[in-house]
Amino acid sequence: DKHFTDRKKQHVYDPKNDKYIGHRNLGEIHPGYELHRQTVARRATGRGEDPIVHVHRYTIVHKKTKDVAGEIDATAGKMDRKTGEHRPGTGKGLRIDWLGVHPDHSSKKVGKSLAVAAYKHLHGKGHSIKSDPRHSFGGAHVWDKLRKDPDVKDHVKYHDERDNKAVPAHKLDYGSIWQEHPSAQETTLVLHAKPRKKVVK
């Protein structure tokens, strides 16, 4: 598919500024599909950013055919639990920059559940995930599934910039997130990592 081919060309790293760290298979996310991660360490250009930014490309791969069924581009960094703000760097907070499921696979029964499964898999590995602010209908559908999913719904929060409050997203209806609040296009939703348990000494 042309769109997926073009996307691959966008992240060819510049040897002067970027360092290719490597490829890792993160395991099965759905029967017959696994998640792979490629990481590039990039020198930050923004003021106040960490000197190194990690850019991740996650590919959803069909185990049998090795076809790329979907892609997720994300920037690593630190995530503020109160505001949902993402600061690019080298932390476990992922800001989603692009998400796509190949039409050959989205037309099957698995459909967008592949993206949901990928997000849940990353969440299980300790990542916080902030949604792409440029929401497509498909992206909104994925987050709607996440906020209703019994495994993760308590961790999906809607951050409202106006009063700096985080609201559990499953307590809001679809319209109040995507239509009534224009700021939702910017603040978006965050799937927060589970709080770490403090070790009692």
Side-chain angles (χ1 to χ4, degrees):
D1 185 81
K2 187 175 182 296
H3 185 63
F4 275 72
T5 307
D6 290 347
R7 290 291 310 172
K8 284 181 173 62
K9 291 176 184 175
Q10 288 184 25
H11 277 289
V12 176
Y13 72 99
D14 177 355
K16 290 180 183 175
N17 297 313
D18 301 345
K19 182 184 178 186
Y20 178 70
I21 292 177
H23 169 273
R24 191 174 171 199
N25 183 344
L26 300 179
E28 190 172 69
I29 60 167
H30 189 281
Y33 293 89
E34 55 194 18
L35 190 66
H36 293 236
R37 181 185 70 202
Q38 288 177 306
T39 307
V40 167
R42 182 163 292 167
R43 285 192 192 137
T45 54
R47 213 171 180 189
E49 289 182 15
D50 288 354
I52 299 294
V53 173
H54 282 175
V55 178
H56 298 294
R57 161 158 290 171
Y58 296 94
T59 50
I60 301 167
V61 179
H62 191 272
K63 287 171 78 175
K64 212 172 198 178
T65 63
K66 303 301 179 191
D67 288 343
V68 174
E71 290 179 0
I72 300 167
D73 287 343
T75 305
K78 293 183 173 63
M79 197 83 74
D80 189 304
R81 289 193 72 85
K82 289 183 179 177
T83 65
E85 185 184 355
H86 177 269
R87 183 182 165 198
T90 56
K92 294 199 86 173
L94 299 174
R95 185 195 68 217
I96 303 300
D97 300 317
W98 188 80
L99 158 70
V101 177
H102 196 287
D104 287 353
H105 296 267
S106 61
S107 60
K108 294 177 182 176
K109 285 184 180 179
V110 289
K112 295 183 181 71
S113 62
L114 285 176
V116 174
Y119 281 24
K120 286 176 66 176
H121 193 75
L122 292 169
H123 178 256
K125 290 188 175 292
H127 292 283
S128 289
I129 303 168
K130 183 170 183 171
S131 62
D132 184 343
R134 301 155 296 171
H135 277 294
S136 62
F137 177 76
H141 178 82
V142 167
W143 279 91
D144 197 44
K145 291 273 188 190
L146 287 167
R147 75 186 185 90
K148 292 175 182 174
D149 190 295
D151 295 334
V152 295
K153 71 175 187 178
D154 292 334
H155 301 282
V156 181
K157 301 288 172 67
Y158 169 74
H159 291 268
D160 193 333
E161 278 181 340
R162 293 168 298 183
D163 54 14
N164 238 358
K165 283 185 179 176
V167 182
H170 66 87
K171 292 186 177 180
L172 300 170
D173 60 47
Y174 187 88
S176 67
I177 294 174
W178 307 112
Q179 290 153 18
E180 290 173 25
H181 300 321
S183 63
Q185 296 300 311
E186 297 304 322
T187 18
T188 64
L189 295 162
V190 179
L191 172 55
H192 286 286
K194 294 173 187 174
R196 290 182 183 176
K197 291 179 181 177
K198 291 181 181 177
V199 179
V200 179
K201 293 182 180 178

